[in-house]
């Protein structure tokens, strides 16, 4: 069982931005020291949710302050990037990190954000599909030939290459059986953030398709993403996380609120207690958290534990305190359970 962190770097506290980013970089250093496998950043624009609006810049800074933890995106929003520039950024990051880069791609989850870049949200899936084909081709070969609706290249010679061959590991967030099957056929690692009942269906479909199309390859990382906060007492954990998650939700809903659209995350979760009720988060003592995650991971069939440990207006002390308890009291138990069931 490996552990990773997914982070929006949301600007939900009142800290100066320089302090906000330094706190996050220090937090990733602590993740590395605690034995975490990976740290992935999201991409959002023109919103306090989007503290990592330029994922490549964030990763470049983290590369300089870490040595072993894998660093990646979850995800690059492809309609907001030109594929040639992204190919070059990926190659640069992979070389600078000495082969520690993971890459995740998506079409952009918020249509309003795409429109800020002059992208028609109705064309986002088509642009995503073309850009992904261009990027994968450009990472595999130094000569790029492509003739599409949105991108055309004839015999373009590329100067840069990734350190990892044929390219860095790829990740995808799955939200349906169909997307899980597509991800397996493409050879992606995956992350699910739905309740374990739903995620179990997606993961089962992913595993089945993987066995059919890649029978000789080991199963990759299959992640289950959960928001987590650990404290010495359950009361302290709930009080702190309710405050912090409220600040996160305010940032999460910033764009849709600006455009006069009501948004309720996944339709239900208006506070952390509701998130816990539907099974997408846990706050409590180390034992509470370990019990929940052990059952959740087993029920879903995941082999990778993806966590949101930093969000909202959690202070540096609160984030680091939660991380310390998770690393010292939760991770060892989950690893023991995973080893015994392997």
């Amino acid at each position: 069982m490996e552990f990773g962190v997914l982070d929006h770097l949301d600007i939900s506290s009142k800290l100066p931005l320089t302090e906000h980013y330094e706190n996050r970089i220090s937090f990733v250093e602590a993740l590395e020291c605690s034995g975490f496998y990976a740290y992935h950043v999201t991409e959002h624009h023109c919103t306090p949710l989007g503290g990592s609006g330029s994922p490549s810049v964030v990763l470049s800074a983290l590369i300089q302050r870490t040595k072993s933890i894998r660093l990646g995106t979850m995800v690059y929003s492809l309609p907001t990037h030109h594929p040639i520039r992204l190919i070059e950024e990926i190659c640069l990051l992979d070389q600078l990190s000495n082969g520690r880069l993971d890459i995740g791609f998506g079409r952009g989850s918020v249509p309003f954000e795409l429109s800020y870049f002059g992208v028609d949200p109705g064309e986002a899936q088509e642009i995503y599909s073309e850009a992904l084909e261009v990027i994968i081709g450009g990472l595999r070969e130094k000569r790029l030939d492509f003739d599409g609706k949105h991108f055309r290249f004839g015999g373009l010679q590329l100067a840069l290459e990734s350190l990892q061959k044929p390219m860095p590991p790829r990740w995808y967030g799955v939200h349906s059986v169909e997307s899980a099957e597509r991800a397996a056929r493409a050879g992606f690692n995956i992350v699910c953030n739905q309740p374990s009942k739903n995620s179990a269906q997606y993961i089962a479909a992913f595993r089945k398709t993987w066995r059919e199309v890649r029978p000789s390859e080991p199963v990759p990382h299959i992640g289950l993403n959960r928001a987590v906060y650990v404290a010495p007492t359950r009361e302290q954990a709930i009080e702190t996380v309710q405050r912090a998650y409220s600040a996160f939700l305010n940032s999460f809903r910033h764009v849709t609120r600006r455009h006069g659209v009501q948004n309720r995350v996944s339709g239900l979760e208006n506070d952390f207690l509701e998130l816990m009720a539907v099974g997408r988060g846990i706050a409590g003592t180390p034992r509470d958290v370990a019990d929940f995650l052990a059952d959740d991971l087993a029920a879903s069939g995941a082999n990778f534990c993806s966590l949101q440990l930093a969000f909202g207006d959690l202070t540096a002390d609160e984030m680091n305190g939660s991380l310390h308890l998770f690393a010292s009291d939760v991770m060892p138990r989950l690893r023991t359970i995973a080893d015994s069931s392997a």
Side-chain angles (χ1 to χ4, degrees):
M1 179 65 64
E2 299 283 4
F3 299 85
V5 164
L6 175 67
D7 192 4
H8 292 81
L9 274 87
D10 52 301
I11 308 165
S12 302
S13 70
K14 304 301 182 183
L15 292 176
L17 283 176
T18 51
E19 188 174 348
H20 172 69
Y21 288 121
E22 177 56 33
N23 283 348
R24 251 349 182 262
I25 292 172
S26 297
F27 183 69
V28 178
E29 290 179 305
L31 290 175
E32 180 174 77
C33 291
S34 299
F36 274 73
Y37 174 83
Y39 173 84
H40 295 139
V41 295
T42 66
E43 179 182 349
H44 290 281
H45 300 280
C46 303
T47 166
L49 183 66
S52 57
S54 180
S56 294
V57 173
V58 174
L59 296 180
S60 185
L62 292 169
I63 285 167
Q64 304 307 309
R65 295 273 291 268
T66 59
K67 289 182 170 46
S68 61
I69 191 170
R70 297 195 64 83
L71 303 167
T73 58
M74 191 64 77
V75 296
Y76 280 121
S77 176
L78 290 191
T80 67
H81 296 269
H82 192 282
I84 297 301
R85 179 176 292 277
L86 203 50
I87 289 169
E88 294 178 335
E89 289 183 10
I90 288 168
C91 291
L92 281 166
L93 289 168
D94 200 40
Q95 295 287 349
L96 291 170
S97 67
N98 197 28
R100 289 189 285 132
L101 183 67
D102 290 350
I103 45 177
F105 303 114
R107 70 173 185 267
S109 61
V110 184
F112 296 120
E113 293 181 27
L114 298 180
S115 69
Y116 303 155
F117 289 81
V119 175
D120 179 354
E123 296 185 335
Q125 181 61 47
E126 190 176 71
I127 295 170
Y128 162 81
S129 297
E130 281 197 14
L132 182 61
E133 188 174 345
V134 171
I135 291 166
I136 291 176
L139 291 171
R140 288 186 182 276
E141 305 288 343
K142 283 197 170 185
R143 176 187 169 94
L144 188 58
D145 290 285
F146 187 83
D147 185 15
K149 176 181 176 181
H150 301 279
F151 306 106
R152 293 184 179 88
F153 310 101
L156 182 63
Q157 296 294 323
L158 302 173
L160 300 180
E161 61 182 313
S162 62
L163 182 62
Q164 299 176 91
K165 302 298 183 186
M167 69 186 72
R170 293 163 293 162
W171 290 74
Y172 189 74
V174 303
H175 54 276
S176 66
V177 167
E178 292 74 20
S179 64
E181 292 170 344
R182 286 197 303 270
R185 285 191 289 270
F188 284 24
N189 301 278
I190 63 167
V191 171
C192 307
N193 71 352
Q194 293 300 304
S196 56
K197 179 180 178 180
N198 294 23
S199 293
Q201 298 178 41
Y202 312 155
I203 289 171
F206 179 87
R207 288 182 180 272
K208 180 176 182 294
T209 304
W210 187 277
R211 288 194 299 269
E212 292 171 351
V213 301
R214 301 173 181 275
S216 63
E217 298 180 32
V219 174
H221 288 110
I222 300 173
L224 191 67
N225 181 254
R226 295 292 181 252
V228 169
Y229 187 75
V230 195
T233 69
R234 190 175 302 172
E235 293 73 21
Q236 181 183 345
I238 295 297
E239 180 180 1
T240 301
V241 83
Q242 281 281 72
R243 185 208 76 227
Y245 193 71
S246 176
F248 171 78
L249 282 182
N250 188 55
S251 295
F252 188 95
R253 294 168 172 163
H254 178 85
V255 169
T256 50
R257 187 170 57 244
R258 174 196 292 155
H259 292 271
V261 177
Q262 295 296 317
N263 181 20
R264 291 168 54 90
V265 190
S266 296
L268 294 171
E269 304 89 351
N270 286 296
D271 60 29
F272 203 87
L273 291 178
E274 289 189 3
L275 195 76
M276 290 175 60
V278 298
R280 295 182 56 235
I282 181 65
T285 65
R287 182 172 182 176
D288 294 332
V289 173
D291 286 347
F292 170 81
L293 289 176
D295 292 344
D296 209 28
L297 290 163
S300 68
N303 63 16
F304 182 80
C305 187
S306 172
L307 306 169
Q308 288 175 258
L309 292 177
F311 52 85
D313 64 357
L314 287 172
T315 67
D317 286 344
E318 288 168 342
M319 287 188 297
N320 288 316
S322 176
L323 169 60
H324 173 73
L325 288 172
F326 187 89
S328 63
D329 298 350
V330 180
M331 284 173 66
R333 179 179 169 196
L334 295 179
R335 281 187 166 139
T336 298
I337 293 172
D339 289 344
S340 64
S341 63

